[in-house]
Amino acid sequence: MRIAITGTLAAGKSTFSNILRRMGYPVFDSDNYAKLAYRKRTGHYEKIVKLLGEGVLDGNGEVDFKKVSEVIFNDLSLKRKLEDIIHPFVLVGMQKMMDKANKVFFAEVPLLYEAGMEKYFDKVIVITCDDEIAVERCIEDRGYTKEKAVKIVNTQLNKKDKIERADYVLYNNGTIKDLYRKTSELLKEI
């Protein structure tokens, strides 16, 4: 069974994925895999720099993800064009891991619906939390300003739409201990 993990900003998708790994399940991390496309000599690096400009590079000519974030969240058309470069690359890597997986395969894909990747999965789990909690977590855990956190929350696909399209929804407004309990309960249901 192929199961996608997606959800809303700062809802705990990565924490949920880490819990699954500790329980022995394979979990593909699309965000980490996507970072490979930004490396020099990948063919994608050149496309990214051409699209976003050399201003996204650090002093060593490497892509600075913080600069990329600033550029794309100020120009959503650039964000979409960047995703058109990155998503096919991620899909190839994900499919390779899916082919090697045994019975159950999980993939954390934050932009699952936006990238049209839900069709590659048997089930979808949406991890979500209240918007106020997401903003608070972004400020505390990621060092975002309140303005930036609110802006990112508002650019995501409608939370209600994600929830309606999911096979399973996990609300993560509590502690990590609560999330462990909910994860165990969800796995029994699946």
Side-chain angles (χ1 to χ4, degrees), residues 124-139:
V124 175
I125 300 169
V126 167
I127 312 292
T128 191
C129 66
D130 294 342
D131 289 347
E132 299 79 26
I133 290 174
V135 169
E136 198 175 289
R137 288 176 180 167
C138 284
I139 293 167

Side-chain angles (χ1 to χ4, degrees), residues 156-168:
Q156 292 192 347
L157 184 66
N158 183 305
K159 181 193 301 190
K160 184 180 175 191
D161 184 49
K162 285 186 178 189
I163 290 169
E164 288 174 357
R165 294 166 75 178
D167 296 292
Y168 305 98

Side-chain angles (χ1 to χ4, degrees), residues 4-7 13 28 30 94 107-113 115 117 121:
I5 302 160
T6 193
K13 295 176 295 292
F28 177 82
S30 65
M94 184 175 67
E108 182 182 341
V109 188
L111 299 176
L112 178 79
Y113 295 118
M117 290 188 188
F121 295 93

Side-chain angles (χ1 to χ4, degrees), residues 35-46 57-58 60-63:
K35 290 178 183 175
L36 298 174
Y38 292 85
R39 291 185 179 172
K40 290 181 181 178
R41 295 178 297 280
T42 62
H44 298 84
Y45 171 90
E46 290 80 11
L57 301 177
D58 65 15
N60 298 318
E62 300 293 332
V63 174

